[in-house]
Amino acid sequence: MAGAHPETADVRASSGATEAGELVELALGYVYSAALHSAARFGLADHLVDGPRTAEELAPAVGAHAPHLYRLLRFLATKGVFREDEAGRFHLTPLAEPLRTDAERSLRDYLLVRGEAPFWESAGRLHDAVRTGTTAFETLYGVSFYDHVAADRDFGRAFNSSMAAFSDALSDDVAEACDFSRAGSVVDVGGGRGGLLRSVLRRNPHLTGVLFDRENVVAGHVLDTPELTGRWKAQSGDFFVSVPSGADVYLLKQVLASWPDEECLRILRSCARAMPAHGRLLVVNAMIPAGNEPHPGKTVDMLMMTVLNGRGRTRAEYEALLTAAGFEVVGFHEPSPHASVVEAVVARAAA
């Protein structure tokens, strides 16, 4: 760098080193995923509920090699997942709380499943998905992800639990943000185990509801609680063909992102056929904003590209899908970056 001022050269070198370090950190992001998956498998957060412990104290309790366990905990502590004190004991942190099995918004099941082979192997083939425009999972396994979930009972059970764990963390936010005061009945289409429907019914004691999903999914529902007795039923079926008819409100939470446009239109048209003239549809998904800032919808979009044949969408893209399916958009709420809500009714011309 002939002729450059020495201080300027130092600044440029320092800047380049910082950028290189950040890029290396990004390249090793999968190591953090593996560490979180390991922490969930060992149940480390559960073993720290009663107070901080050293790796040597934790190792026999969780069935781990103490020196390696220490290195895992030390690594996670660099991101605020656990905290090491001067005595070498590790503490729970707010970021580690959702790793607890009994946490109010536990994500342990979610992290457990996201560390399994179908997700890791599919992510490793992202370049193939981008090159060919296909879904990495289907290329690797020869079937769609949901067909694999249905065929593999153990993995399917774990996946459904993991989705419930993720979804339940958002359900109360969505139930609080949306107005159900003028409704008497609601159908949760593709509602999984019923976490959202449970939240909606709890907040609105005048409502009755139907949980609608595949038979193997609704079999694990979470609606059988004393406060909801007599106010719900679980019904299995194929939302591409039809959904229960006649309800005042239809919910589609985290459903449309899992499918390409053509299948989304089939689902939406099934809902339109089932809805009475006064019915409302609430579409809940992370919606990708413009700009370069991080957003959950952009991350989910990568997951869709590798595992599911779906895609993340902007608000305008969701509204375009609704219009194409014969709906009119009448409202929008954003209780969480993970869960924006587009409210729609059947357009008069389509009714």
Side-chain angles (χ1 to χ4, degrees):
M1 194 178 296
H5 193 283
E7 292 183 2
T8 304
D10 288 345
V11 169
R12 289 177 181 172
S14 174
S15 175
T18 299
E19 291 164 354
E22 290 178 358
L23 196 59
V24 168
E25 190 78 0
L26 287 171
L28 295 175
Y30 67 92
V31 181
Y32 291 105
S33 298
L36 283 170
H37 175 69
S38 297
R41 288 191 65 171
F42 284 122
L44 298 179
D46 291 341
H47 285 85
L48 293 175
V49 170
D50 295 328
R53 302 172 74 176
T54 65
E56 288 74 16
E57 292 168 336
L58 281 169
V62 303
H65 178 264
H68 276 48
L69 180 60
Y70 171 77
R71 292 159 67 185
L72 173 68
L73 287 161
R74 178 180 62 184
F75 177 63
L76 287 169
T78 68
K79 292 296 186 182
V81 183
F82 309 119
R83 178 179 63 83
E84 184 182 10
D85 63 24
E86 294 179 355
R89 299 175 303 175
F90 288 90
H91 299 243
L92 275 178
T93 61
L95 197 54
E97 281 289 335
L99 279 168
R100 290 173 44 196
T101 304
D102 61 351
E104 182 178 354
R105 295 191 171 191
S106 175
L107 289 174
R108 186 185 177 210
D109 284 351
Y110 185 86
L111 294 174
L112 281 171
V113 172
R114 293 316 177 278
E116 295 299 327
F119 288 91
W120 279 100
E121 293 174 351
S122 298
R125 299 292 292 272
L126 175 61
H127 64 291
D128 282 339
V130 174
R131 178 174 56 83
T132 63
T134 57
T135 303
F137 181 90
E138 293 184 13
T139 301
L140 283 167
Y141 286 80
V143 296
S144 74
F145 181 79
Y146 283 121
D147 285 343
H148 178 75
V149 167
D152 187 329
R153 181 173 298 180
D154 291 338
F155 179 77
R157 186 181 300 111
F159 173 74
N160 291 331
S161 294
S162 79
M163 288 306 298
F166 175 74
S167 182
D168 286 354
L170 306 175
S171 293
D172 286 343
D173 296 336
V174 174
E176 183 177 4
C178 299
D179 180 13
F180 295 91
S181 61
R182 293 173 296 166
S185 58
V186 58
V187 175
D188 193 358
V189 178
R193 300 198 308 178
L196 176 58
L197 182 59
R198 180 180 59 186
S199 292
V200 169
L201 294 180
R202 281 176 172 172
R203 285 186 171 273
N204 299 275
H206 64 286
L207 282 178
T208 60
V210 176
L211 174 64
F212 183 77
D213 210 316
R214 288 187 176 193
E215 184 176 2
N216 65 303
V217 178
V218 298
H221 70 77
V222 294
L223 297 170
D224 196 10
T225 62
E227 64 188 307
L228 302 183
T229 299
R231 297 174 53 208
W232 63 271
K233 66 177 181 179
Q235 184 174 334
S236 62
D238 183 350
F239 53 37
F240 289 117
V241 178
S242 66
V243 302
S245 63
D248 300 314
V249 178
Y250 286 75
L251 306 172
L252 276 174
K253 178 169 174 280
Q254 311 290 0
V255 172
L256 298 185
S258 300
W259 302 97
D261 288 356
E262 295 78 9
E263 278 73 12
C264 287
L265 290 173
R266 291 174 61 196
I267 296 167
L268 290 170
R269 287 166 180 154
S270 288
C271 292
R273 289 192 297 269
M275 291 170 60
H278 66 275
R280 291 184 296 147
L281 175 68
L282 303 180
V283 173
V284 184
N285 272 110
M287 297 188 188
I288 298 176
N292 300 311
E293 295 303 313
H295 189 273
K298 297 175 183 179
T299 306
V300 169
D301 190 39
M302 292 295 98
L303 189 63
M304 297 300 105
M305 196 185 304
T306 56
V307 177
L308 295 169
N309 189 19
R311 54 175 294 199
R313 296 179 177 88
T314 64
R315 174 179 172 182
E317 288 171 329
Y318 275 113
E319 292 183 352
L321 274 177
L322 285 161
T323 299
F327 286 91
E328 176 186 351
V329 175
V330 296
F332 181 80
H333 316 279
E334 192 168 21
S336 161
H338 292 273
S340 298
V341 184
V342 179
E343 182 176 350
V345 298
V346 176
R348 291 183 180 179

